[in-house]
Amino acid sequence: MPQVKQQIIEMALNGSGIRDMARVLEISPCTVFMELKKKSPALSRSTSRC
């Protein structure tokens, strides 16, 4: 599961949508959403530098 969490983050940073990520990773969209919600402060820090 840690590698799936990393893939979610990488896909989000590359602009993939929640449903796309869920379909590709074969997991629930709710799982994707919850993981992104947990990581949102880290994502906002990494994208603010662009």
Side-chain angles (χ1 to χ4, degrees):
M1 189 70 173
Q3 62 272 34
V4 173
K5 291 179 180 183
Q6 183 61 36
Q7 285 181 296
I8 291 171
I9 301 306
E10 290 174 12
M11 291 177 78
L13 291 174
N14 285 316
S16 294
I18 291 174
R19 287 181 286 186
D20 290 335
M21 289 185 250
R23 186 178 63 251
V24 169
L25 299 173
E26 298 179 348
I27 57 177
S28 165
C30 292
T31 303
V32 175
F33 181 75
M34 294 304 291
E35 190 59 35
L36 290 174
K37 190 174 174 183
K38 284 190 241 177
K39 299 292 184 183
S40 64
L43 289 176
S44 63
R45 277 195 303 268
S46 66
T47 57
S48 64
R49 295 181 188 164
C50 295

